[in-house]
């Protein structure tokens, strides 16, 4: 009975054109529009000054040479700052406090930067290229045997492929398309609230609720059938939006896709059941259905779905905010522990709502 009700609910939802508008077309359009219009607020103009941090490695010739180069090459437009360890230098990159980090460990030159395709990259490449040429010349001419100078220069020469430039993305340093892709997927999952409320109302509007209630089907079977049916179409929308975000807007979910999917799924579970619970508690009051979209938009605004300047503290008062913060932490800071709170909260509140719904239905039957 649950399966038949589930299948019926999926068919009814997929026949509704509003499902495709609000869960597929509308989110993709918002990602495109907001991602383009507000891209400037996600980009920091650092063209006036280049900040380079490097490790103090006095034990290697390459480290000593780069430190001398840094002292001589510094200017009002370029600042070189020494750090004692690699972790501290990379942390500055992750927080956006420096343009690039240079490591000379194991006689290898590695550059990590937040700006791989901007003016800063061109400036950085120029400085690294100048150092490479200088180091090769000094290293080669230091050889006593003049007949070996040419071979020595070739041995220490740093080819372009040896200079690695990587993007160190963090949850505080994302592009507009990445930010709004996560935000719009969260908001779409929260739209399950609307479909949850309408899962029973649709039966009343079609005048099929009486036939359904008088059939040999328990109310719990109807409840779970409707829930899993609406959840299935939400999962379908989630998969499509994540694929579109990756292949159209360039959001690289990578190996963390399954963990972020779990966060979004938990939000979808909570929102669908919250909608069904509100409809049951209000005994089908049409005012609840009318306010459902407003509730979703309030959660979206508080959760920072529209504007990135919303405080993280305020975002935590919204289920959409939980999902947004958690997804960015997982994707860019690789912090899997960030999924614990939103998943626990969403599933925990769903369980509480389930117990309350069963209690209310039991009292009504009595």
């Amino acid at each position: 009975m649950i399966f038949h009700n589930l299948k019926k609910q999926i068919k009814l939802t997929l026949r509704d054109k509003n499902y495709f508008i609000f869960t597929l077309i509308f989110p993709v359009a918002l990602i495109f529009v907001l991602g383009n219009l507000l891209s400037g607020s996600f980009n920091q103009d650092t063209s006036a000054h280049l900040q380079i941090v490097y490790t103090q490695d006095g034990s290697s010739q390459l480290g000593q040479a780069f430190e001398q180069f840094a002292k001589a090459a510094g200017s009002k437009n370029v600042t070189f700052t020494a750090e004692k360890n690699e972790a501290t230098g990379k942390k500055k990159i992750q927080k956006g406090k420096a343009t690039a980090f240079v490591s000379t460990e194991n006689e290898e030159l590695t550059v990590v930067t937040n700006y791989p395709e901007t003016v800063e990259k061109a400036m950085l490449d120029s400085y690294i290229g100048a150092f490479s040429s200088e180091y090769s010349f000094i290293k080669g001419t230091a050889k006593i045997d003049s007949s070996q100078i040419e071979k020595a220069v070739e041995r220490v020469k740093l080819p372009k492929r040896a200079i690695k430039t990587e993007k160190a993305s963090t949850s505080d340093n994302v592009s507009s398309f990445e930010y709004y892709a996560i935000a719009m997927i969260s908001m779409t999952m929260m739209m399950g609230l609307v479909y949850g409320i309408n899962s029973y109302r649709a039966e009343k509007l079609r005048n099929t609720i009486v036939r359904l209630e008088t059939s040999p089907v328990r109310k719990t079977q109807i409840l779970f059938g409707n829930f899993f049916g609406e959840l299935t179409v939400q999962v379908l929308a989630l998969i499509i939006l994540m694929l579109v975000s990756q292949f159209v807007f360039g959001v690289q979910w990578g190996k963390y896709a399954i963990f972020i999917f779990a966060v979004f799924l938990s939000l979808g579970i909570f929102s669908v059941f919250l909608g069904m619970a509100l409809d049951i508690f209000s005994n089908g009051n049409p005012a609840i259905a009318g306010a459902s979209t407003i509730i979703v938009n309030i959660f979206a605004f508080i959760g920072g779905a529209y504007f990135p300047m919303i405080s993280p503290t305020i975002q935590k008062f919204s289920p959409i905010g939980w999902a947004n913060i958690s997804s960015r932490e997982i994707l860019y800071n690789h912090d899997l522990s960030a999924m614990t709170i939103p998943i626990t909260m969403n599933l925990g509140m769903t369980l509480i709502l389930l117990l309350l719904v069963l209690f209310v239905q039991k009292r009504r039957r009595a």
Side-chain angles (χ1 to χ4, degrees), residues 258-270:
I258 188 64
F259 302 105
I260 297 173
F261 181 88
V263 174
F264 289 140
L265 177 61
S266 69
L267 178 59
I269 292 173
F270 167 66

Side-chain angles (χ1 to χ4, degrees), residues 3 28 42 46 91 109 160 193 218 221 254 257 260 277 305 338 349:
F3 174 76
V28 171
F42 289 82
T46 58
K91 192 172 183 180
L109 187 67
K160 290 183 179 180
L193 171 70
R218 293 194 297 270
Q221 292 175 330
I260 297 173
M349 290 190 296

Side-chain angles (χ1 to χ4, degrees), residues 76-272:
K76 65 177 182 179
N77 293 325
V78 181
T79 301
F80 289 87
T81 305
E83 295 293 342
K84 294 182 178 180
N85 57 71
E86 184 176 338
T88 305
K90 287 189 174 181
K91 192 172 183 180
K92 283 191 174 183
I93 295 298
Q94 291 177 346
K95 292 185 177 180
K97 294 182 179 180
T99 310
F101 167 72
V102 178
S103 172
T104 56
E105 187 178 356
N106 299 325
E107 292 291 337
E108 293 183 359
L109 187 67
T110 304
V111 181
V112 180
T113 174
N114 277 327
Y115 310 95
E117 297 178 353
T118 59
V119 176
E120 289 81 1
K121 180 181 181 298
M123 293 174 62
L124 181 64
D125 287 347
S126 298
Y127 274 85
I128 296 299
F131 167 71
S132 300
S133 300
E134 180 181 313
Y135 180 69
S136 298
F137 177 76
I138 295 175
K139 184 79 173 179
T141 55
K143 298 296 180 179
I144 298 176
D145 189 353
S146 59
S147 64
Q148 299 296 320
I149 289 180
E150 186 175 350
K151 292 182 179 180
V153 171
E154 288 297 323
R155 182 163 57 87
V156 299
K157 186 178 180 181
L158 297 176
K160 290 183 179 180
R161 70 183 66 178
I163 301 175
K164 302 175 182 178
T165 305
E166 306 170 359
K167 182 179 180 181
S169 296
T170 70
S171 60
D172 298 321
N173 182 31
V174 299
S175 71
S176 57
F177 286 107
E178 292 170 336
Y179 182 91
Y180 285 112
I182 293 173
M184 291 303 109
I185 292 176
S186 298
M187 189 173 73
T188 302
M189 290 301 99
M190 196 68 217
M191 283 294 293
L193 171 70
V194 178
Y195 300 117
I197 290 176
N198 290 332
S199 63
Y200 281 108
R201 284 184 51 77
E203 301 286 354
K204 295 177 182 178
L205 293 175
R206 292 192 303 270
N207 298 316
T208 57
I209 187 66
V210 176
R211 183 177 63 182
L212 185 63
E213 290 182 344
T214 55
S215 64
V217 182
R218 293 194 297 270
K219 285 190 175 182
T220 53
Q221 292 175 330
I222 299 174
L223 174 70
F224 286 114
N226 285 0
F227 169 72
F228 286 116
E230 295 293 354
L231 181 62
T232 300
V233 294
Q234 284 294 92
V235 171
L236 177 62
L238 173 57
I239 294 173
I240 293 174
L241 289 176
M242 289 188 71
L243 290 175
V244 170
S245 298
Q246 176 163 340
F247 295 108
V248 177
F249 300 110
V251 181
Q252 299 301 319
W253 304 110
K255 62 181 180 180
Y256 299 100
I258 188 64
F259 302 105
I260 297 173
F261 181 88
V263 174
F264 289 140
L265 177 61
S266 69
L267 178 59
I269 292 173
F270 167 66
S271 63
V272 170

Side-chain angles (χ1 to χ4, degrees), residues 40-53:
S41 63
F42 289 82
N43 298 324
Q44 298 178 352
D45 184 12
T46 58
S47 58
H49 196 81
L50 197 68
Q51 295 185 359
I52 302 175
V53 294

